[in-house]
Structures are given as C-alpha cells and as structure tokens.
C-alpha cells in the first residue's frame, strides 16, 4: 500500500486520472467525427441529459475532448452504428463494441430479477412489437399524443411505458434521434451484424469492467468500479479479480489523505504523463471525470454538487454550475445560461475556489475557455453578473466585453 502524503504525489495521481480521461492534451483522440468515435471508445460512455440551459451534456462531454466536434456528430455515430443508446448508471451513449455487456441488465429486467416497470403490460408489448416488426420503426412522438385513443393506435401513456419496457428488455433499440424524439426499431435490424451479441459470463463481465475503468480513469476504488451497479454477484467477481491481480502484482494500491483506497496498474505513476498546459476547461456537470463526486473530492479536494435538483432557496452556487478545470486542479465553477434567440451567453455567477494562483494567468485561461464555450453555444456575446472573489469583477467584465 502506497501512502499518498506529499502534494507532489497527489499531483501525480491527479495527472494520471486526467490523462486517462483525455483532459490534459488538446486533442488526445483526434478531431471531428473520427475523434469523437475514438473518444467514446476510450471513456466508455457519454451520459445523455435533458437539461438545455447550455448545450446538452452528451455534446458537451465530446466538446471538452474533441476539437471541431459538432453536436450533429453524436446522432451520426448512432446512425452509423458506432454507438448505441442504453442505460449505464444513467441513460447514455455507449460504444457498439461493448454491446454484449448491456445484455446482463436486459436479461435481468426481462426475467423479472429486477424491474423497470413493476407491472409491464405484456399484451400491449406484444402488440407493439408485432406492429414494429410488420410496419417498421416507430417514433416516440407517434405515441406521445394527448387525448383519447386514436383509431388503430393505443392510449399514449400505457404505449409509451410498453415501448420503454421493450427497449430496456433489449427487444428494441434506438435507431435514430431528433433532439429528444427517439425512433425505435427491432434490435436485429439496428445492431450491426459484426457486433458480438453473445452474453458475457460473470468473469468476463468483471474483467471488462476492471480493464475499462482502469483505462478511462487511471485509478479506481472498489466502489467506483461498480458505480451504481446493484448486481451482487458481479460486485463479488470484480472484488475477487482485483484481489487476484493485487496478489499477482499486476495492480497496486494507494491511499489518499481521507483514507480512500484506489487501485492502479503497477508502475503507472512512474510512466511519463502529458505535460501540463495553462488552458482551462469548462466541463459538464455530467462529465465522466466528475460524475463520481466522492472520488472527485478525495482526489481533487473539490466538493461539487449539481444544484438543479436542489430547491432554489438552498442553492449555494446556482441552478447548473459547470466545473472549471485549470491545469490539474478544479479551480472554480460557473453558473450560466445560453439565450439562443439573442445569441448571448449569460454568466449568472462565476466562483473561483480559495486557491493561491496566478490571477493574470487564470483570468487569461478563463477568457480563452469562455470564448470557445460561447461559440459552442452558438452565442456571439458574453455577460457576467456576479464574480467571486469580487475584486476580479472589473478585470473579467472588461475582458468579456471585448468579446462582443
């Protein structure tokens, strides 16, 4: 067990974690559509979210790692069969190459071991499946209609539930998307023929999880390896595999100051990392690097909570604060909203943590980051209302006004 006590040792852990996430280099996976394909194959999933105060989380995650990424590329990958949509710890896009590892959860739902809806309407599901088989793909909007049952169709709410149940059980897949309007089709008509659809054994699944998590995070805790997975047999197999690899010295353990223990590949901390640069990244609250909040706090001493689900009176920072990553530290957060009609990015609140840092360098990095972020939101101007600490307000406001 390696005890991490010195700040330089912790800094190396942070660089390992950030490098594994593709957040230290300017284009770790390449650019545009090819870069997006490589990015999701490396990081393992991209969470889908409905909140639209800024560009959707699933586009934002790609934007943070892939220069020249455009939101339309996400659906292009779906149409091309590079990715598929399913449930990870939340709704997500996943690499099609990993399809077989979605099958255990689908089987658990279909067999009743776990539930999506507790009392699915099996008769309606059979009718829906038969209709899609004979008439072709169905759009979610085709059943999301209000009012009375239409001739030749079903009441929208039960039909919507039946459609979702078929999707979660694996009989249907999402074949296309227009925003949040999904098109469903039979799995055998959507999944590319070359994709392995053989269900994995528990041991294969455990090995996949350990390898994939070490690849995309660099270092992981036992809890993090099976983040939000409730399969007790799988958790047991993952723990056994980690212990086996520790005995074989393929893995080693480190303990950070709060007592959290992480495992990493033996010798990983001795390998060269990409050099730090002075850019800032504005990340999504659902970014893969920050979604495990306990891990984020243990490694980066960054206490983060998304507050859109918190009552307004109890919010500390704002409705949808975005983490700010500077070099190898999470240095602040920004609550903002893209006003798309007026093409203005409104920064409601900008907070910098109580770090000792070069204010000129950080300000310059923030202006560069928010300029790119503004273009990503298809906005032309930026405004800022509140800045903390307040003495930075005048400098930042002057710099931001020059963007307009």
């Amino acid at each position: 067990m390696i005890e991490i006590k010195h700040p330089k040792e912790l800094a190396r852990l942070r660089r390992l974690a950030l490098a594994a996430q593709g957040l230290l280099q300017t284009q770790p996976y390449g650019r545009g559509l090819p870069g997006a394909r490589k990015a999701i194959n490396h990081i393992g999933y991209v969470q889908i979210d409905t909140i639209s105060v800024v560009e959707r989380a699933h586009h934002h995650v790609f934007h943070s790692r892939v220069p020249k990424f455009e939101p339309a590329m996400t659906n292009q990958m779906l149409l091309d069969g590079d990715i598929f949509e399913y449930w990870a710890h939340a709704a997500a896009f996943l690499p099609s190459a990993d399809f077989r590892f979605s099958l255990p959860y689908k089987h658990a739902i279909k067999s009743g071991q776990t539930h999506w809806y507790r009392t699915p309407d099996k008769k309606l599901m059979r009718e829906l499946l038969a209709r899609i088989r004979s008439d072709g793909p169905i759009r979610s909007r085709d059943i999301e209609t209000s009012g009375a049952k239409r001739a030749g169709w079903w009441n929208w709410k039960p039909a919507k539930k039946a459609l979702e149940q078929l999707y979660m059980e694996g009989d249907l897949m999402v074949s296309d998307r227009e925003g949040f309007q999904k098109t469903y089709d039979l799995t055998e008509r959507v999944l590319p023929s070359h994709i392995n659809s053989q269900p994995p054994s528990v041991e294969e699944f455990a090995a996949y999880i350990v390898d994939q998590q070490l690849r995309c995070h660099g270092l992981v805790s036992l809890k993090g390896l099976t983040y939000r997975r409730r399969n007790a047999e799988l958790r047991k197999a993952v723990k056994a595999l980690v212990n086996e690899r520790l005995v074989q010295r393929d893995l080693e353990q480190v303990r950070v100051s709060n007592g959290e223990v992480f495992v990493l590949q033996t010798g990983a901390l001795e390998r060269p990392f990409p050099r730090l640069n002075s850019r800032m990244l504005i990340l999504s609250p659902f970014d893969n690097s920050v979604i495990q909040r306990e891990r984020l706090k243990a490694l980066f001493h960054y206490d983060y909570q998304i507050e859109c689900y918190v009552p307004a009176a109890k919010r500390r920072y704002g409705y949808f604060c975005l983490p700010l990553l500077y070099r190898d530290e999470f240095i602040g957060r920004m609550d903002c909203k893209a006003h798309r009609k007026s093409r203005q990015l409104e920064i409601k609140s900008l907070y910098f943590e109580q770090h000792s840092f070069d204010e000129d360098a950080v300000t310059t990095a923030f202006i560069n980051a928010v300029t790119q972020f503004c273009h990503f939101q298809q906005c032309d101007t930026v405004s800022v209302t509140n800045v903390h600490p307040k003495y930075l307000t005048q400098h930042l406001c002057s710099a931001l006004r020059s963007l307009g």
Side-chain angles (χ1 to χ4, degrees):
M1 178 82 69
I2 302 171
E3 299 287 347
I4 302 297
K5 296 180 179 178
H6 195 278
K8 287 186 178 179
E9 295 172 333
L10 181 60
R12 288 195 67 77
L13 284 185
R14 291 174 173 179
R15 289 181 66 185
L16 174 62
L18 294 172
Q21 274 290 307
L23 295 175
L24 286 187
Q25 296 171 281
T26 54
Q27 46 179 321
Y29 311 110
R31 304 161 74 86
L33 186 58
R37 291 191 186 107
K38 289 181 181 178
I40 193 166
N41 277 301
H42 179 83
I43 63 177
Y45 78 95
V46 171
Q47 184 169 334
I48 301 168
D49 195 68
T50 59
I51 296 173
S52 60
V53 291
V54 292
E55 186 58 74
R56 310 281 185 180
H58 39 289
H59 303 315
H60 191 166
V61 171
F62 284 116
H63 167 76
S64 298
R65 293 162 173 81
V66 182
K68 302 296 183 182
F69 172 80
E70 300 290 341
M73 293 175 184
T74 306
N75 199 54
Q76 187 61 53
M77 288 188 288
L78 185 68
L79 292 171
D80 292 345
D82 299 314
I83 60 176
F84 73 104
E85 190 171 327
Y86 195 60
W87 198 259
H89 68 268
F93 292 116
L94 302 112
S96 290
D98 294 347
F99 174 80
R100 64 190 298 239
F101 298 104
S102 70
L103 297 176
Y105 190 49
K106 291 172 180 174
H107 174 74
I109 294 174
K110 197 164 194 172
S111 65
Q113 295 172 41
T114 190
H115 300 283
W116 189 251
Y117 292 114
R118 286 202 166 269
T119 55
D121 189 332
K122 297 290 187 181
K123 179 175 180 294
L124 182 53
M125 288 166 63
R126 287 192 296 270
E127 291 175 3
L128 264 171
L129 205 55
R131 178 154 184 167
I132 293 170
R133 184 170 285 112
S134 63
D135 296 354
I138 185 173
R139 298 173 303 174
S140 53
R141 73 176 62 167
D142 292 331
I143 62 170
E144 291 177 357
T145 56
S146 57
K149 179 178 175 179
R150 294 178 291 153
W153 202 235
W154 299 275
N155 180 273
W156 75 274
K157 191 171 183 179
K160 182 174 182 292
K161 284 186 174 183
L163 197 63
E164 289 177 357
Q165 184 75 22
L166 287 165
Y167 162 72
M168 292 305 297
E169 290 186 6
D171 293 297
L172 299 179
M173 290 180 70
V174 175
S175 60
D176 193 7
R177 258 182 177 265
E178 293 179 33
F180 275 81
Q181 289 291 335
K182 295 178 280 191
T183 299
Y184 295 91
D185 200 356
L186 301 178
T187 292
E188 58 263 32
R189 294 201 294 232
V190 177
L191 188 68
S193 59
H194 67 277
I195 297 298
N196 187 346
S197 58
Q198 185 70 29
S201 66
V202 174
E203 292 75 21
E204 285 178 310
F205 201 177
Y208 159 76
I209 287 173
V210 172
D211 293 340
Q212 192 269 337
Q213 289 290 293
L214 285 170
R215 183 182 73 239
C216 73
H217 285 303
L219 65 159
V220 290
S221 65
L222 270 178
K223 183 177 180 181
L225 278 168
T226 53
Y227 180 65
R228 295 198 175 180
R229 294 185 186 271
R230 298 175 182 174
N231 185 328
E233 186 182 13
L234 178 62
R235 289 200 303 267
K236 184 178 178 181
V238 166
K239 184 176 181 179
L241 180 59
V242 168
N243 287 336
E244 179 185 333
R245 293 187 181 182
L246 285 168
V247 169
Q248 294 171 345
R249 297 188 179 179
D250 294 329
L251 299 179
E252 59 186 354
Q253 294 177 305
V254 296
R255 180 159 44 213
V256 296
S257 59
N258 74 339
E260 188 84 22
V261 174
F262 294 93
V263 296
L264 62 162
Q265 289 181 337
T266 299
L269 288 175
E270 280 69 57
R271 296 173 194 158
F273 298 129
R275 297 174 65 179
L276 291 176
N277 57 49
S278 294
R279 68 173 181 153
M280 184 177 291
L281 290 176
I282 300 168
L283 298 179
S284 167
F286 302 104
D287 194 276
N288 302 45
S289 64
V290 302
I291 200 65
Q292 293 187 36
R293 312 301 193 203
E294 292 179 17
R295 180 181 191 275
L296 185 64
K297 192 171 183 179
L299 284 179
F300 293 93
H301 302 163
Y302 184 65
D303 190 5
Y304 178 75
Q305 178 188 16
I306 186 171
E307 296 184 323
C308 54
Y309 308 116
V310 175
K314 295 184 178 181
R315 291 176 191 148
R316 295 175 61 197
Y317 299 109
Y319 177 79
F320 200 65
C321 269
L322 311 180
L324 304 179
L325 174 66
Y326 175 68
R327 293 174 67 83
D328 61 353
E329 290 187 284
F330 285 90
I331 201 169
R333 58 200 86 201
M334 177 177 76
D335 184 39
C336 59
K337 178 178 175 62
H339 297 276
R340 294 175 178 89
K341 288 185 179 179
S342 60
R343 297 180 67 88
Q344 180 196 36
L345 180 67
E346 176 193 7
I347 301 175
K348 298 182 177 182
S349 295
L350 176 63
Y351 295 86
F352 289 106
E353 309 290 302
Q354 297 301 310
H355 290 293
S356 57
F357 51 75
D358 183 329
E359 291 172 7
D360 288 337
V362 167
T363 301
T364 299
F366 175 74
I367 296 301
N368 290 336
V370 84
T371 301
Q372 293 183 29
F373 191 70
C374 185
H375 294 156
F376 178 55
Q377 306 304 320
Q378 298 187 335
C379 291
D380 300 321
T381 60
V382 184
S383 66
V384 61
T385 304
N386 294 305
V387 178
H388 304 271
K390 291 189 179 298
Y391 66 81
L392 293 175
T393 302
Q394 186 174 352
H395 186 185
L396 279 167
C397 286
S398 298
L400 288 171
R401 275 196 296 271
S402 69
L403 299 181

